[in-house]
Amino acid sequence: SFKLSYYNEYKSYLSSTMTKVTSAKSHLIGLVGDEDTCTAFLLGGIGELNNAREPNFLVVKKDTTIGEIETHLKKLLTRKDIGIVLINQHIANDVRHIIEQHTAAIPALLEIPSKEHPYDPAKDSILKRAKGMFNIDDLR
């Protein structure tokens, strides 16, 4: 009887915990990148369409206009189902003004390197903002 009551309490605890865990809202990863970057991430399984059939990624090709990149990036940054937006740094350089204006924590906006263009920390505005938050004396 003690074992049975203990088991029932444990079972009740697990079911309430599982409800909390499964009801947590998950977020998608958004991506604006070149063909190689998008291919790699899509093979990794990040590709999704929302209810309006809008993808969470944009493959930037040679004929993609800066206007198209700006429009898609703005959509990704306002979507409620996106938690992180990844953008190739060389593409981010073309839409730097949008990146500079983005101050929300979610979605987080991260610049990543591509196969053809290495990462340059000096150009990463998010990294510059993070460095500005800390004083060198805080790190000692």
Side-chain angles (χ1 to χ4, degrees):
S1 62
F2 174 73
K3 288 181 182 178
L4 183 59
S5 67
Y6 178 75
Y7 172 75
N8 287 335
E9 284 181 40
Y10 182 70
K11 186 176 170 186
S12 172
Y13 168 76
L14 280 181
S15 66
S16 68
T17 305
M18 292 301 284
T19 302
K20 290 176 188 173
V21 171
T22 56
S23 67
K25 182 157 173 48
S26 61
H27 289 89
L28 300 174
I29 295 175
L31 176 65
V32 177
D34 57 22
E35 291 182 77
D36 291 332
T37 302
C38 287
T39 300
F41 277 96
L42 291 173
L43 286 172
I46 70 145
E48 296 281 340
L49 296 175
N50 65 6
N51 292 338
R53 308 288 297 158
E54 297 170 329
N56 62 328
F57 61 93
L58 173 68
V59 180
V60 178
K61 300 177 183 176
K62 291 179 182 177
D63 60 341
T64 305
T65 65
I66 292 177
E68 290 172 312
I69 298 169
E70 289 175 346
T71 302
H72 195 79
L73 181 59
K74 287 178 184 177
K75 282 183 186 177
L76 288 176
L77 292 175
T78 57
R79 279 179 52 176
K80 299 295 182 202
D81 61 337
I82 301 287
I84 299 172
V85 176
L86 304 175
I87 184 168
N88 283 130
Q89 191 174 49
H90 71 280
I91 297 168
N93 292 333
D94 295 333
V95 291
R96 182 69 57 201
H97 58 283
I98 295 172
I99 294 170
E100 299 279 338
Q101 292 173 354
H102 181 69
T103 58
I106 296 178
L109 181 59
L110 304 173
E111 296 180 27
I112 60 173
S114 68
K115 191 168 83 171
E116 307 273 327
H117 302 86
Y119 176 75
D120 183 3
K123 293 181 180 177
D124 190 336
S125 61
I126 307 300
L127 184 61
K128 287 179 190 175
R129 267 191 250 166
K131 284 182 179 178
M133 295 174 66
F134 298 100
N135 187 343
I136 192 68
D137 295 331
D138 295 338
L139 303 174
R140 291 184 184 169

